Amino acid sequence: MNYQKGKLEVNESMTKKVIELHDKGYNFDFLLIGEKFLLCMQNNNSYPLKDVMVSSVKRAYDRFSHSYKHIHTIETSSGEKGVLLTDYLFN
C-alpha cells in the first residue's frame, strides 16, 4: 500500500466530516487559545469560550499525528459557525 494513500484512507472519516460540516455552513476554522478563548482563523477575531456554543461531533484517528482528534462545531453569538479540532473531548 502506498504510504500517502494509507494516510488519506485513515483520515478519510475526519476529512469527510469536516467537509460535511462546511457544506452545512460551518465555514470557519477555530483554534483554542489557552483555556479561555477561541481564535477564528479566517477573520482573526477572538471569542471568549463563555460566549460560544461548542458541540462535540466526532472522534477520529489522525494518522498524521498518530492520535485521536475530536471534531467540534462552534457557534458564536455574532453568528459565525465553524469547526474546532482538539486532542481531547471539549466540554
Side-chain angles (χ1 to χ4, degrees), residues 10-22 26 28-30 53-62 67-74 82-91:
V10 171
N11 289 338
E12 183 177 10
S13 75
M14 184 168 46
T15 302
K16 279 185 176 181
K17 180 52 83 175
V18 170
I19 290 169
E20 175 187 313
L21 291 169
H22 283 176
Y26 291 89
F28 293 96
D29 300 305
F30 288 88
M53 184 167 63
V54 180
S55 299
S56 177
V57 177
K58 183 176 182 73
R59 179 177 179 245
Y61 188 76
D62 177 18
S67 64
Y68 282 94
K69 298 292 183 190
H70 293 267
I71 302 170
H72 303 82
T73 56
I74 303 294
V83 178
L84 169 68
L85 297 176
T86 62
D87 291 332
Y88 54 90
L89 181 60
F90 193 89
N91 292 340

Side-chain angles (χ1 to χ4, degrees), residues 30-32 36-40 45-47 49 52 74 84:
F30 288 88
L31 178 65
L32 185 61
K36 297 186 180 183
F37 291 92
L38 289 173
L39 177 67
C40 177
N45 289 339
S46 64
Y47 302 91
L49 282 176
V52 301
I74 303 294
L84 169 68

